[in-house]
Amino acid sequence: MKTALTSLEQQMRRYAKRFLKTEYGSPAIEKMKTIEIKAIDAYDFGGLSEATEKDITIAAKRDVNAGKLTGTTKLILRHEIGHVLDEGSPMFPEFEEELLHEEIAWQKAKLRNGAENWYKNLSVRTHVDPLKMQALGFPRPELKIKPERLRCGTKAEVERMGKSSVFVDTYLAERFAMVNLIENPDYYCKNS
Ligand SMILES: [Zn+2]
């Protein structure tokens, strides 16, 4: 296990260096030299991967299982590098600030295609485990779910959200429904 993680850390460092070289040049490469990259044997349950002044921690269980650095992890790594490159990021941000700096980190991650943007939007809105999002079949998870079940699930999520808040986001409700339906097609409505 330890060797697998060490090997992933090396691959991440190489990937980070290539990314910084192409997108940002030497000052950024210099800055990253002082930041340690750590791979841990866990799934990312809502924000386990993180960047601090000293290091970047990446939840890399999906890569251990895959035996290689996956595309999802590369994207997360670029996002965390985005936090490191974000000079204005405060140590203890207010909630609003935190959202702003999440956006900045995503901008600095230089998203390359529709799939990566889809991932970003979903991750910002729901903080759902990236592995689940992969299972959702992004960029078109809805293709994996029967439309009538998705309608039923979305309706249930809208009702659930309406109970605790006056702000109901139908788009978000649909995404929650997708996550639950991927794991269990009967989650909301049986025999539909
Ligand atoms: Zn972030």
mmCIF file of all heavy atoms in Angstrom, residues 146-181:
data_model
loop_
_atom_site.group_PDB
_atom_site.id
_atom_site.type_symbol
_atom_site.label_atom_id
_atom_site.label_comp_id
_atom_site.label_asym_id
_atom_site.label_seq_id
_atom_site.Cartn_x
_atom_site.Cartn_y
_atom_site.Cartn_z
ATOM 1 N N LYS A 146 -33.413 5.934 -15.698
ATOM 2 C CA LYS A 146 -34.693 6.019 -16.397
ATOM 3 C C LYS A 146 -35.344 7.380 -16.128
ATOM 4 O O LYS A 146 -35.434 7.794 -14.960
ATOM 5 C CB LYS A 146 -35.637 4.928 -15.898
ATOM 6 C CG LYS A 146 -35.384 3.563 -16.492
ATOM 7 C CD LYS A 146 -36.540 2.664 -16.111
ATOM 8 C CE LYS A 146 -36.262 1.233 -16.528
ATOM 9 N NZ LYS A 146 -37.207 0.309 -15.886
ATOM 10 N N PRO A 147 -35.839 8.043 -17.179
ATOM 11 C CA PRO A 147 -36.385 9.400 -17.014
ATOM 12 C C PRO A 147 -37.517 9.475 -15.983
ATOM 13 O O PRO A 147 -37.564 10.421 -15.194
ATOM 14 C CB PRO A 147 -36.919 9.755 -18.403
ATOM 15 C CG PRO A 147 -36.427 8.729 -19.335
ATOM 16 C CD PRO A 147 -35.842 7.587 -18.567
ATOM 17 N N GLU A 148 -38.397 8.468 -15.953
ATOM 18 C CA GLU A 148 -39.535 8.559 -15.012
ATOM 19 C C GLU A 148 -39.038 8.467 -13.567
ATOM 20 O O GLU A 148 -39.574 9.112 -12.670
ATOM 21 C CB GLU A 148 -40.616 7.505 -15.301
ATOM 22 C CG GLU A 148 -40.172 6.065 -15.240
ATOM 23 C CD GLU A 148 -39.698 5.523 -16.587
ATOM 24 O OE1 GLU A 148 -39.215 6.311 -17.428
ATOM 25 O OE2 GLU A 148 -39.798 4.301 -16.801
ATOM 26 N N ARG A 149 -37.965 7.677 -13.358
ATOM 27 C CA ARG A 149 -37.411 7.582 -11.996
ATOM 28 C C ARG A 149 -36.737 8.881 -11.603
ATOM 29 O O ARG A 149 -36.796 9.307 -10.451
ATOM 30 C CB ARG A 149 -36.412 6.437 -11.922
ATOM 31 C CG ARG A 149 -37.122 5.125 -12.110
ATOM 32 C CD ARG A 149 -36.396 3.977 -11.508
ATOM 33 N NE ARG A 149 -37.238 2.801 -11.679
ATOM 34 C CZ ARG A 149 -37.091 1.696 -11.002
ATOM 35 N NH1 ARG A 149 -36.148 1.596 -10.117
ATOM 36 N NH2 ARG A 149 -37.899 0.687 -11.199
ATOM 37 N N LEU A 150 -36.087 9.493 -12.570
ATOM 38 C CA LEU A 150 -35.418 10.767 -12.287
ATOM 39 C C LEU A 150 -36.463 11.841 -11.959
ATOM 40 O O LEU A 150 -36.289 12.623 -11.027
ATOM 41 C CB LEU A 150 -34.565 11.192 -13.484
ATOM 42 C CG LEU A 150 -33.712 12.443 -13.272
ATOM 43 C CD1 LEU A 150 -32.796 12.316 -12.061
ATOM 44 C CD2 LEU A 150 -32.871 12.753 -14.509
ATOM 45 N N ARG A 151 -37.566 11.845 -12.709
ATOM 46 C CA ARG A 151 -38.637 12.813 -12.431
ATOM 47 C C ARG A 151 -39.181 12.614 -11.025
ATOM 48 O O ARG A 151 -39.336 13.553 -10.245
ATOM 49 C CB ARG A 151 -39.786 12.653 -13.453
ATOM 50 C CG ARG A 151 -39.674 13.627 -14.627
ATOM 51 C CD ARG A 151 -40.990 13.722 -15.381
ATOM 52 N NE ARG A 151 -41.465 12.435 -15.897
ATOM 53 C CZ ARG A 151 -41.043 11.881 -17.037
ATOM 54 N NH1 ARG A 151 -40.161 12.512 -17.780
ATOM 55 N NH2 ARG A 151 -41.509 10.720 -17.433
ATOM 56 N N CYS A 152 -39.435 11.362 -10.699
ATOM 57 C CA CYS A 152 -39.971 10.999 -9.386
ATOM 58 C C CYS A 152 -38.993 11.419 -8.275
ATOM 59 O O CYS A 152 -39.379 12.023 -7.274
ATOM 60 C CB CYS A 152 -40.187 9.493 -9.401
ATOM 61 S SG CYS A 152 -40.934 8.846 -7.937
ATOM 62 N N GLY A 153 -37.709 11.116 -8.468
ATOM 63 C CA GLY A 153 -36.695 11.446 -7.476
ATOM 64 C C GLY A 153 -36.518 12.944 -7.324
ATOM 65 O O GLY A 153 -36.376 13.463 -6.205
ATOM 66 N N THR A 154 -36.522 13.647 -8.442
ATOM 67 C CA THR A 154 -36.362 15.108 -8.394
ATOM 68 C C THR A 154 -37.503 15.736 -7.608
ATOM 69 O O THR A 154 -37.294 16.613 -6.771
ATOM 70 C CB THR A 154 -36.304 15.696 -9.822
ATOM 71 O OG1 THR A 154 -35.285 15.028 -10.557
ATOM 72 C CG2 THR A 154 -35.989 17.186 -9.788
ATOM 73 N N LYS A 155 -38.715 15.238 -7.855
ATOM 74 C CA LYS A 155 -39.893 15.754 -7.154
ATOM 75 C C LYS A 155 -39.734 15.540 -5.639
ATOM 76 O O LYS A 155 -39.968 16.445 -4.833
ATOM 77 C CB LYS A 155 -41.137 15.017 -7.673
ATOM 78 C CG LYS A 155 -42.435 15.677 -7.284
ATOM 79 C CD LYS A 155 -43.587 15.116 -8.132
ATOM 80 C CE LYS A 155 -44.908 15.243 -7.406
ATOM 81 N NZ LYS A 155 -45.345 14.014 -6.721
ATOM 82 N N ALA A 156 -39.287 14.319 -5.273
ATOM 83 C CA ALA A 156 -39.106 14.007 -3.846
ATOM 84 C C ALA A 156 -38.044 14.916 -3.217
ATOM 85 O O ALA A 156 -38.203 15.391 -2.090
ATOM 86 C CB ALA A 156 -38.703 12.546 -3.690
ATOM 87 N N GLU A 157 -36.947 15.161 -3.965
ATOM 88 C CA GLU A 157 -35.880 16.018 -3.430
ATOM 89 C C GLU A 157 -36.343 17.469 -3.302
ATOM 90 O O GLU A 157 -35.991 18.155 -2.344
ATOM 91 C CB GLU A 157 -34.633 15.942 -4.316
ATOM 92 C CG GLU A 157 -33.846 14.646 -4.195
ATOM 93 C CD GLU A 157 -33.292 14.405 -2.795
ATOM 94 O OE1 GLU A 157 -32.995 15.379 -2.078
ATOM 95 O OE2 GLU A 157 -33.162 13.231 -2.405
ATOM 96 N N VAL A 158 -37.140 17.910 -4.257
ATOM 97 C CA VAL A 158 -37.680 19.284 -4.187
ATOM 98 C C VAL A 158 -38.547 19.417 -2.934
ATOM 99 O O VAL A 158 -38.440 20.393 -2.190
ATOM 100 C CB VAL A 158 -38.495 19.618 -5.466
ATOM 101 C CG1 VAL A 158 -39.373 20.853 -5.244
ATOM 102 C CG2 VAL A 158 -37.566 19.851 -6.657
ATOM 103 N N GLU A 159 -39.368 18.416 -2.675
ATOM 104 C CA GLU A 159 -40.220 18.443 -1.482
ATOM 105 C C GLU A 159 -39.377 18.439 -0.206
ATOM 106 O O GLU A 159 -39.640 19.176 0.735
ATOM 107 C CB GLU A 159 -41.170 17.238 -1.476
ATOM 108 C CG GLU A 159 -42.402 17.471 -2.341
ATOM 109 C CD GLU A 159 -43.160 16.183 -2.640
ATOM 110 O OE1 GLU A 159 -42.990 15.197 -1.896
ATOM 111 O OE2 GLU A 159 -43.909 16.176 -3.632
ATOM 112 N N ARG A 160 -38.347 17.586 -0.208
ATOM 113 C CA ARG A 160 -37.478 17.490 0.967
ATOM 114 C C ARG A 160 -36.791 18.834 1.229
ATOM 115 O O ARG A 160 -36.740 19.310 2.367
ATOM 116 C CB ARG A 160 -36.419 16.402 0.733
ATOM 117 C CG ARG A 160 -35.583 16.075 1.949
ATOM 118 C CD ARG A 160 -34.534 15.007 1.647
ATOM 119 N NE ARG A 160 -33.567 15.441 0.644
ATOM 120 C CZ ARG A 160 -32.519 16.220 0.901
ATOM 121 N NH1 ARG A 160 -32.295 16.642 2.127
ATOM 122 N NH2 ARG A 160 -31.692 16.579 -0.054
ATOM 123 N N MET A 161 -36.271 19.446 0.159
ATOM 124 C CA MET A 161 -35.583 20.732 0.314
ATOM 125 C C MET A 161 -36.561 21.806 0.783
ATOM 126 O O MET A 161 -36.210 22.655 1.605
ATOM 127 C CB MET A 161 -34.969 21.169 -1.021
ATOM 128 C CG MET A 161 -33.778 20.354 -1.439
ATOM 129 S SD MET A 161 -33.385 20.648 -3.183
ATOM 130 C CE MET A 161 -31.970 21.661 -3.050
ATOM 131 N N GLY A 162 -37.776 21.758 0.264
ATOM 132 C CA GLY A 162 -38.784 22.763 0.601
ATOM 133 C C GLY A 162 -39.139 22.764 2.079
ATOM 134 O O GLY A 162 -39.542 23.779 2.633
ATOM 135 N N LYS A 163 -38.958 21.609 2.737
ATOM 136 C CA LYS A 163 -39.287 21.509 4.162
ATOM 137 C C LYS A 163 -38.313 22.282 5.032
ATOM 138 O O LYS A 163 -38.665 22.788 6.084
ATOM 139 C CB LYS A 163 -39.279 20.038 4.595
ATOM 140 C CG LYS A 163 -40.593 19.349 4.262
ATOM 141 C CD LYS A 163 -40.589 17.917 4.776
ATOM 142 C CE LYS A 163 -41.690 17.128 4.063
ATOM 143 N NZ LYS A 163 -41.344 15.740 3.909
ATOM 144 N N SER A 164 -37.045 22.331 4.594
ATOM 145 C CA SER A 164 -36.049 22.963 5.465
ATOM 146 C C SER A 164 -35.616 24.339 4.973
ATOM 147 O O SER A 164 -34.901 25.045 5.668
ATOM 148 C CB SER A 164 -34.830 22.040 5.597
ATOM 149 O OG SER A 164 -34.361 21.689 4.324
ATOM 150 N N SER A 165 -36.031 24.735 3.781
ATOM 151 C CA SER A 165 -35.572 26.027 3.272
ATOM 152 C C SER A 165 -36.594 26.609 2.303
ATOM 153 O O SER A 165 -37.335 25.867 1.653
ATOM 154 C CB SER A 165 -34.237 25.838 2.554
ATOM 155 O OG SER A 165 -33.904 26.995 1.830
ATOM 156 N N VAL A 166 -36.612 27.938 2.239
ATOM 157 C CA VAL A 166 -37.507 28.553 1.251
ATOM 158 C C VAL A 166 -36.843 28.589 -0.126
ATOM 159 O O VAL A 166 -37.493 28.808 -1.130
ATOM 160 C CB VAL A 166 -37.912 30.001 1.644
ATOM 161 C CG1 VAL A 166 -38.906 29.976 2.775
ATOM 162 C CG2 VAL A 166 -36.696 30.831 1.991
ATOM 163 N N PHE A 167 -35.533 28.372 -0.143
ATOM 164 C CA PHE A 167 -34.825 28.363 -1.422
ATOM 165 C C PHE A 167 -34.737 26.937 -1.947
ATOM 166 O O PHE A 167 -34.006 26.120 -1.405
ATOM 167 C CB PHE A 167 -33.419 28.932 -1.266
ATOM 168 C CG PHE A 167 -33.416 30.317 -0.721
ATOM 169 C CD1 PHE A 167 -33.049 30.555 0.593
ATOM 170 C CD2 PHE A 167 -33.801 31.388 -1.512
ATOM 171 C CE1 PHE A 167 -33.050 31.834 1.104
ATOM 172 C CE2 PHE A 167 -33.811 32.673 -1.003
ATOM 173 C CZ PHE A 167 -33.438 32.900 0.305
ATOM 174 N N VAL A 168 -35.466 26.656 -2.984
ATOM 175 C CA VAL A 168 -35.423 25.319 -3.566
ATOM 176 C C VAL A 168 -34.789 25.412 -4.946
ATOM 177 O O VAL A 168 -35.222 26.175 -5.795
ATOM 178 C CB VAL A 168 -36.839 24.717 -3.656
ATOM 179 C CG1 VAL A 168 -36.799 23.394 -4.396
ATOM 180 C CG2 VAL A 168 -37.404 24.523 -2.260
ATOM 181 N N ASP A 169 -33.722 24.643 -5.130
ATOM 182 C CA ASP A 169 -32.995 24.643 -6.385
ATOM 183 C C ASP A 169 -33.319 23.335 -7.123
ATOM 184 O O ASP A 169 -32.877 22.266 -6.717
ATOM 185 C CB ASP A 169 -31.491 24.750 -6.062
ATOM 186 C CG ASP A 169 -30.639 24.822 -7.320
ATOM 187 O OD1 ASP A 169 -31.104 24.375 -8.394
ATOM 188 O OD2 ASP A 169 -29.510 25.319 -7.231
ATOM 189 N N THR A 170 -34.094 23.448 -8.162
ATOM 190 C CA THR A 170 -34.528 22.244 -8.892
ATOM 191 C C THR A 170 -33.341 21.502 -9.503
ATOM 192 O O THR A 170 -33.288 20.278 -9.513
ATOM 193 C CB THR A 170 -35.497 22.615 -10.044
ATOM 194 O OG1 THR A 170 -36.305 23.694 -9.604
ATOM 195 C CG2 THR A 170 -36.375 21.452 -10.421
ATOM 196 N N TYR A 171 -32.384 22.283 -9.997
ATOM 197 C CA TYR A 171 -31.202 21.676 -10.605
ATOM 198 C C TYR A 171 -30.454 20.825 -9.571
ATOM 199 O O TYR A 171 -30.091 19.684 -9.804
ATOM 200 C CB TYR A 171 -30.301 22.793 -11.134
ATOM 201 C CG TYR A 171 -29.009 22.310 -11.737
ATOM 202 C CD1 TYR A 171 -28.955 21.869 -13.060
ATOM 203 C CD2 TYR A 171 -27.843 22.293 -10.979
ATOM 204 C CE1 TYR A 171 -27.757 21.426 -13.607
ATOM 205 C CE2 TYR A 171 -26.650 21.857 -11.513
ATOM 206 C CZ TYR A 171 -26.611 21.426 -12.830
ATOM 207 O OH TYR A 171 -25.428 20.983 -13.350
ATOM 208 N N LEU A 172 -30.273 21.425 -8.397
ATOM 209 C CA LEU A 172 -29.584 20.718 -7.316
ATOM 210 C C LEU A 172 -30.387 19.484 -6.885
ATOM 211 O O LEU A 172 -29.828 18.405 -6.662
ATOM 212 C CB LEU A 172 -29.382 21.667 -6.137
ATOM 213 C CG LEU A 172 -28.614 21.144 -4.928
ATOM 214 C CD1 LEU A 172 -27.255 20.616 -5.341
ATOM 215 C CD2 LEU A 172 -28.432 22.253 -3.901
ATOM 216 N N ALA A 173 -31.701 19.636 -6.797
ATOM 217 C CA ALA A 173 -32.573 18.514 -6.433
ATOM 218 C C ALA A 173 -32.377 17.364 -7.412
ATOM 219 O O ALA A 173 -32.263 16.200 -7.026
ATOM 220 C CB ALA A 173 -34.027 18.971 -6.424
ATOM 221 N N GLU A 174 -32.292 17.699 -8.691
ATOM 222 C CA GLU A 174 -32.118 16.672 -9.719
ATOM 223 C C GLU A 174 -30.779 15.953 -9.539
ATOM 224 O O GLU A 174 -30.687 14.734 -9.676
ATOM 225 C CB GLU A 174 -32.190 17.326 -11.098
ATOM 226 C CG GLU A 174 -32.220 16.326 -12.226
ATOM 227 C CD GLU A 174 -32.123 17.007 -13.583
ATOM 228 O OE1 GLU A 174 -31.024 17.471 -13.948
ATOM 229 O OE2 GLU A 174 -33.148 17.095 -14.269
ATOM 230 N N ARG A 175 -29.736 16.735 -9.192
ATOM 231 C CA ARG A 175 -28.408 16.126 -9.009
ATOM 232 C C ARG A 175 -28.393 15.182 -7.790
ATOM 233 O O ARG A 175 -27.810 14.105 -7.856
ATOM 234 C CB ARG A 175 -27.340 17.217 -8.837
ATOM 235 C CG ARG A 175 -27.149 18.076 -10.060
ATOM 236 C CD ARG A 175 -26.433 17.320 -11.146
ATOM 237 N NE ARG A 175 -26.775 17.839 -12.463
ATOM 238 C CZ ARG A 175 -26.137 17.503 -13.581
ATOM 239 N NH1 ARG A 175 -25.143 16.652 -13.550
ATOM 240 N NH2 ARG A 175 -26.507 17.992 -14.727
ATOM 241 N N PHE A 176 -29.025 15.601 -6.713
ATOM 242 C CA PHE A 176 -29.113 14.719 -5.546
ATOM 243 C C PHE A 176 -29.851 13.432 -5.909
ATOM 244 O O PHE A 176 -29.441 12.332 -5.530
ATOM 245 C CB PHE A 176 -29.848 15.413 -4.393
ATOM 246 C CG PHE A 176 -28.979 16.311 -3.565
ATOM 247 C CD1 PHE A 176 -29.365 17.607 -3.274
ATOM 248 C CD2 PHE A 176 -27.768 15.864 -3.068
ATOM 249 C CE1 PHE A 176 -28.566 18.448 -2.516
ATOM 250 C CE2 PHE A 176 -26.958 16.699 -2.300
ATOM 251 C CZ PHE A 176 -27.354 17.996 -2.029
ATOM 252 N N ALA A 177 -30.934 13.603 -6.654
ATOM 253 C CA ALA A 177 -31.719 12.436 -7.067
ATOM 254 C C ALA A 177 -30.854 11.494 -7.891
ATOM 255 O O ALA A 177 -30.887 10.274 -7.707
ATOM 256 C CB ALA A 177 -32.948 12.889 -7.847
ATOM 257 N N MET A 178 -30.046 12.058 -8.775
ATOM 258 C CA MET A 178 -29.169 11.220 -9.615
ATOM 259 C C MET A 178 -28.207 10.402 -8.763
ATOM 260 O O MET A 178 -28.008 9.219 -8.992
ATOM 261 C CB MET A 178 -28.347 12.104 -10.557
ATOM 262 C CG MET A 178 -29.075 12.549 -11.775
ATOM 263 S SD MET A 178 -27.929 13.524 -12.770
ATOM 264 C CE MET A 178 -29.100 14.365 -13.807
ATOM 265 N N VAL A 179 -27.594 11.070 -7.786
ATOM 266 C CA VAL A 179 -26.627 10.377 -6.920
ATOM 267 C C VAL A 179 -27.299 9.189 -6.241
ATOM 268 O O VAL A 179 -26.770 8.073 -6.239
ATOM 269 C CB VAL A 179 -26.056 11.342 -5.857
ATOM 270 C CG1 VAL A 179 -25.216 10.578 -4.858
ATOM 271 C CG2 VAL A 179 -25.227 12.427 -6.521
ATOM 272 N N ASN A 180 -28.480 9.416 -5.679
ATOM 273 C CA ASN A 180 -29.169 8.333 -4.976
ATOM 274 C C ASN A 180 -29.635 7.238 -5.933
ATOM 275 O O ASN A 180 -29.553 6.055 -5.613
ATOM 276 C CB ASN A 180 -30.352 8.897 -4.198
ATOM 277 C CG ASN A 180 -29.892 9.743 -3.026
ATOM 278 O OD1 ASN A 180 -28.871 9.441 -2.416
ATOM 279 N ND2 ASN A 180 -30.615 10.801 -2.725
ATOM 280 N N LEU A 181 -30.098 7.624 -7.106
ATOM 281 C CA LEU A 181 -30.619 6.641 -8.060
ATOM 282 C C LEU A 181 -29.528 5.776 -8.678
ATOM 283 O O LEU A 181 -29.752 4.617 -9.004
ATOM 284 C CB LEU A 181 -31.416 7.352 -9.162
ATOM 285 C CG LEU A 181 -32.789 7.864 -8.714
ATOM 286 C CD1 LEU A 181 -33.377 8.811 -9.754
ATOM 287 C CD2 LEU A 181 -33.733 6.706 -8.450
#
